[in-house]
């Protein structure tokens, strides 16, 4: 196989007997021109390998379908790079050269993300990476402009770093002064706080001292009032207990008197009943003696005589009145005697 070689690539430089499948890398130099006519020399290095199945004869045959695959993929990549750079200005390309070249070669997906490989379907060659080794102007004027631009950028960067360092130093100085002032303010605040606490303690001490006597007197008066109140309560309790005891004794005396009176009445009533019974017995005996003395015939005649005769007979017998009844209608002489005795007692 006759393959391109050297840098930049030249056709038919390498004569090889075996085709290496990779991964390997190749380096090439591409001349590009920006939209503002700045011609640049790009030294690019490509990583590549053949993606085939060694057991597949058809894929193996594709390896030899392109006689000079190195020169072919270098030309294809150079064409894409030149087309992308031609639409960019020198400043823009100088800032974003890596992204622009990778996007030109690998392309981007729908989301705008750069892909990671470039596939040659003719021989299944895969480009996996592009390394930008150098970017140099081709003509002297561009090289001087670039050098001047680089020096200006370095100067700007240096001044920017100096300004940043100066600003950082000033910021730190201001922060240190601020911390110092803040510490001073904090110390003054703490001192004022301590002085305020001291004044508060002095005021409290003076208040305690001025109110100590009044508080003691008030406490003594309160204690005396408390003792007096407790004494009054105790006296009231004692008086209540005395009155309760007196009432209990009086109630007990009254109860005893009533019980004695009741017992006396009961005994008196018993004696009265006994007396009435005895008098009734005496009257009954007396009446019976008179009846026995008069006799039944005399009583019969008396009952048959007129009222005048009855009166004479009774006066002769010393009787004021009498009653005659048969055996079928008896008279309760005890009740009659009790009634007569009650009548005499009332007179």
């Amino acid at each position: 196989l006759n393959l391109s070689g050297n840098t930049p690539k030249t056709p038919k430089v390498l004569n090889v007997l075996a085709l290496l499948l990779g991964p390997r890398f190749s380096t090439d130099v591409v001349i590009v021109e920006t939209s503002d006519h700045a011609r640049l020399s790009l030294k690019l290095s490509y990583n590549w390998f053949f993606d085939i199945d060694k057991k597949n004869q058809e894929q193996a045959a594709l390896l030899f379908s392109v006689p000079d695959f190195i020169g072919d993929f270098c030309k294809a990549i150079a064409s894409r790079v030149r087309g992308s750079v031609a639409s960019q200005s020198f400043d823009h390309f100088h800032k974003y050269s890596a992204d622009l070249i990778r996007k030109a070669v690998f392309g981007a997906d729908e989301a705008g993300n750069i892909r990671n490989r470039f596939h040659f379907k003719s021989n299944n060659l895969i480009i996996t990476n592009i390394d930008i080794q150098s970017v140099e102007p081709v003509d002297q004027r561009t090289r001087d402009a670039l050098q001047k631009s680089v020096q200006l950028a370095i100067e700007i960067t240096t001044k920017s770093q100096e300004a940043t360092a100066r600003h950082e130093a000033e910021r730190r100085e201001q922060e240190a002064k601020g911390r110092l002032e803040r510490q001073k303010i904090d110390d003054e605040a703490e001192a004022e706080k301590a002085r305020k606490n001291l004044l508060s303690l002095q005021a409290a001490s003076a208040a305690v001292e001025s109110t100590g006597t009044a508080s003691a007197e008030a406490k003594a008066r309160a204690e005396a009032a408390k003792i007096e109140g407790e004494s009054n309560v105790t006296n009231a309790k004692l008086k209540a207990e005395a009155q309760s005891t007196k009432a209990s004794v009086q109630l007990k005396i009254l109860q005893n008197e009533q019980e004695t009176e009741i017992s006396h009445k009961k005994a008196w009533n018993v004696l009265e009943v006994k007396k009435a019974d005895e008098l009734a017995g005496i009257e009954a005996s007396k009446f019976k003696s008179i009846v026995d003395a008069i006799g039944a015939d005399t009583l019969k005649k008396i009952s048959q005589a007129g009222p005048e005769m009855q009166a004479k007979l009774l006066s002769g017998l010393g009787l004021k009145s009498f009653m005659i009844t048969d055996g079928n209608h008896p008279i309760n002489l005890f009740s009659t005697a009790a009634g007569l005795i009650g009548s005499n007692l009332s007179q």
Side-chain angles (χ1 to χ4, degrees):
L1 293 175
N2 295 321
L3 301 178
S4 298
N6 297 331
T7 304
K9 287 292 181 283
T10 303
K12 299 181 180 180
V13 173
L14 299 176
N15 295 319
V16 296
L17 297 177
L19 180 61
L20 301 177
L21 300 180
R24 296 181 65 81
F25 72 92
S26 298
T27 303
D28 191 13
V29 174
V30 180
I31 305 299
V32 298
E33 185 174 354
T34 62
S35 61
D36 50 0
H37 307 292
R39 300 182 75 247
L40 303 174
S41 174
L42 307 180
K43 188 176 182 180
L44 307 177
S45 179
Y46 315 117
N47 293 86
W48 57 268
F49 71 96
F50 287 100
D51 185 16
I52 63 170
D53 184 3
K54 295 180 180 180
K55 298 180 180 180
N56 191 328
Q57 294 296 328
E58 293 181 358
Q59 291 185 3
L62 291 177
L63 295 174
F64 303 97
S65 62
V66 180
D68 185 7
F69 70 92
I70 295 178
D72 186 67
F73 79 74
C74 286
K75 290 178 183 179
I77 293 175
S79 176
R80 290 194 173 201
V81 171
R82 279 193 292 268
S84 175
V85 175
S87 62
Q88 308 294 330
S89 65
F90 174 75
D91 291 336
H92 184 75
F93 176 75
H94 189 262
K95 291 179 182 178
Y96 307 104
S97 58
D99 292 336
L100 291 173
I101 292 174
R102 288 177 59 83
K103 187 174 182 180
V105 176
F106 296 136
D109 56 15
E110 296 177 355
N113 299 319
I114 299 175
R115 294 187 177 94
N116 58 2
R117 60 173 52 195
F118 180 24
H119 183 206
F120 290 89
K121 295 181 179 179
S122 59
N123 58 355
N124 289 331
L125 178 66
I126 304 296
I127 308 299
T128 58
N129 187 34
I130 297 178
D131 181 22
I132 303 172
Q133 295 183 351
S134 65
V135 177
E136 296 180 357
V138 174
D139 54 78
Q140 186 64 33
R141 185 180 62 181
T142 306
R143 185 179 292 108
D144 294 339
L146 179 60
Q147 186 176 2
K148 184 177 180 181
S149 176
V150 171
Q151 290 177 354
L152 182 61
I154 293 173
E155 185 178 355
I156 292 172
T157 303
T158 304
K159 290 182 179 180
S160 175
Q161 291 177 351
E162 290 177 355
T164 302
R166 184 171 61 255
H167 291 161
E168 183 67 19
E170 292 177 355
R171 184 183 65 81
R172 291 182 179 180
E173 183 179 1
Q174 291 295 330
E175 288 181 354
K177 289 182 179 179
R179 286 195 296 269
L180 182 61
E181 290 294 331
R182 184 174 180 179
Q183 185 64 37
K184 183 178 179 181
I185 293 171
D186 291 340
D187 294 340
E188 291 177 355
E190 289 295 330
E192 186 65 22
K193 186 177 180 180
R195 190 172 68 86
K196 183 179 178 181
N197 291 334
L198 177 61
L199 292 176
S200 298
L201 293 174
Q202 289 177 352
S205 177
V208 170
E209 183 178 358
S210 61
T211 58
T213 304
S215 177
E217 291 178 356
K219 188 174 181 181
R221 286 195 297 270
E223 191 68 24
K226 181 180 178 182
I227 293 171
E228 184 179 358
E230 291 178 353
S231 177
N232 292 333
V233 171
T234 303
N235 291 335
K237 287 182 179 179
L238 293 176
K239 287 180 180 179
E241 291 177 358
Q243 290 179 358
S244 177
T245 303
K246 183 178 179 181
S248 298
V249 172
Q250 289 178 353
L251 180 62
K252 189 171 183 181
I253 291 172
L254 181 60
Q255 186 177 2
N256 291 334
E257 289 179 353
Q258 290 178 352
E259 290 178 355
T260 303
E261 185 176 358
I262 291 170
S263 300
H264 177 70
K265 288 288 186 181
K266 286 182 179 181
W268 177 262
N269 290 334
V270 170
L271 292 176
E272 289 293 332
V273 170
K274 186 176 181 181
K275 180 180 178 182
D277 290 340
E278 290 178 355
L279 289 175
I282 293 170
E283 289 295 331
S285 298
K286 180 180 177 182
F287 183 75
K288 183 178 181 182
S289 298
I290 293 172
V291 171
D292 289 340
I294 293 174
D297 293 336
T298 304
L299 292 174
K300 183 178 180 182
K301 290 179 180 181
I302 292 172
S303 62
Q304 293 176 354
E308 250 180 65
M309 180 58 74
Q310 291 177 1
K312 290 179 180 181
L313 289 173
L314 289 172
S315 62
L317 293 173
L319 298 175
K320 294 182 179 181
S321 63
F322 67 93
M323 181 181 296
I324 299 175
T325 180
D326 55 7
N328 294 327
H329 302 82
I331 297 174
N332 190 350
L333 296 178
F334 290 100
S335 299
T336 304
L340 292 174
I341 293 170
S343 178
N344 291 331
L345 289 175
S346 62
Q347 292 178 358

